[in-house]
Amino acid sequence: MSFGRDIYRQLLRVLPATLRAEYGDEMVVLFEDLLREADGHIQSARVWSQAGWELGGLALSHAVGTDRFAVVVLTWATSLACFSAELFLARTFETPRLALRDAVAAVVVCPSLLAALVSLVVTRAERTPVSLFSEEA
Amino acid sequence: MDTRKSPLAPATFFVLLALAGGEKHGYAIMKDVRELSDGRVQMGPATLYTTIQRLVESGWITEVEHTGDARRRNYRLSADGRRALQEELQHMEALVKKTKALRLRPSEPRG
């Protein structure tokens, strides 16, 4: 149990220091309660997995909040990086037609995939309570 | 008078509702939230204490001075918190009344 407690305490480092300092010990005690309550390895694994998702979502919420502008900029910056990489490869390997086709595909596919991924993460993060209200007035 | 327009976040609402029944520590709050929401709102330790921190900062709940176990602090609803919860419940009641006026019913089985 103490091994699990130590790992969880380390994982709490993703949270803001003020939250950790004030409530870190209580979170660890509560996590131990949940592990104690878990019946068998599968339920214990579920407790760990939920803790991982929860901490990841909260860390992201605290990091970006609900700044959708940052998400859009991040998405398109990555897309631009993909496009530049494709053009670089086209010049390097001298297969312009093939590379150009791939580049166009990358411009279409990369933002879509990335936007889907970012949306998934942000949606999860928004479920975590950084604010007391469902939306700011 | 609180003039807010936004509904409370589910985690906020259920933590306040759990504490409406009396002072509780984190584990008891977590279990009550799960039960009161029929399992729809499940909070882990980090989510629960993030919510508690926000509620303490806003003055809606307060920490109880003395408990038996030093590792577990108890929390109770403040007068402001009780008012916020009552307002939210009034909004919900008004919404239910409006919804009833629309006479929404599940579709009748065809036979």
Side-chain angles (χ1 to χ4, degrees), chain B residues 42-108:
Chain B
Q42 297 201 14
M43 289 189 279
T47 308
L48 176 68
Y49 282 101
T50 301
T51 306
I52 285 176
Q53 184 191 37
R54 298 282 190 267
L55 289 168
V56 169
E57 283 170 358
S58 66
W60 286 3
I61 67 172
T62 53
E63 187 186 319
V64 178
E65 285 298 320
H66 175 74
T67 58
D69 185 351
R71 298 185 314 160
R72 295 178 196 274
R73 286 183 285 186
N74 276 19
Y75 301 91
R76 76 156 66 102
L77 210 54
S78 70
D80 283 348
R82 192 168 294 277
R83 201 175 305 122
L85 181 61
Q86 283 168 347
E87 272 184 25
E88 187 71 6
L89 290 170
Q90 281 168 5
H91 284 304
M92 286 180 171
E93 280 174 10
L95 184 63
V96 169
K97 275 185 188 168
K98 283 179 191 168
T99 310
K100 277 184 179 169
L102 293 174
R103 297 176 187 279
L104 292 174
R105 287 180 185 166
S107 57
E108 296 288 330

Side-chain angles (χ1 to χ4, degrees), chain A:
Chain A
M1 186 66 82
S2 88
F3 180 63
R5 180 182 60 207
D6 292 343
I7 291 178
Y8 186 71
R9 193 180 285 281
Q10 292 301 315
L11 289 175
L12 291 182
R13 285 172 175 270
V14 301
L15 299 176
T18 49
L19 177 68
R20 232 169 43 231
E22 186 63 32
Y23 300 101
D25 289 343
E26 281 179 85
M27 285 188 222
V28 171
V29 170
L30 190 47
F31 183 72
E32 281 183 301
D33 287 337
L34 293 175
L35 278 182
R36 206 172 290 118
E37 196 182 57
D39 186 18
H41 294 302
I42 293 176
Q43 281 195 20
S44 295
R46 200 170 161 215
V47 171
W48 275 106
S49 135
Q50 284 173 343
W53 272 109
E54 181 188 48
L55 290 171
L58 274 171
L60 192 72
S61 293
H62 285 290
V64 299
T66 51
D67 190 352
R68 290 181 182 279
F69 179 72
V71 171
V72 170
V73 168
L74 181 71
T75 305
W76 285 102
T78 311
S79 305
L80 196 63
C82 289
F83 182 61
S84 306
E86 288 284 352
L87 288 180
F88 173 75
L89 288 173
R91 279 182 56 186
T92 306
F93 295 105
E94 295 177 353
T95 52
R97 271 179 57 189
L98 203 60
L100 192 62
R101 189 198 67 190
D102 288 348
V104 171
V107 167
V108 175
V109 174
C110 282
S112 307
L113 285 178
L114 196 67
L117 183 66
V118 169
S119 302
L120 178 73
V121 175
V122 169
T123 305
R124 280 200 79 95
E126 283 179 351
R127 277 194 233 154
T128 54
V130 167
S131 166
L132 293 178
F133 302 105
S134 291
E135 58 187 56
E136 293 296 344

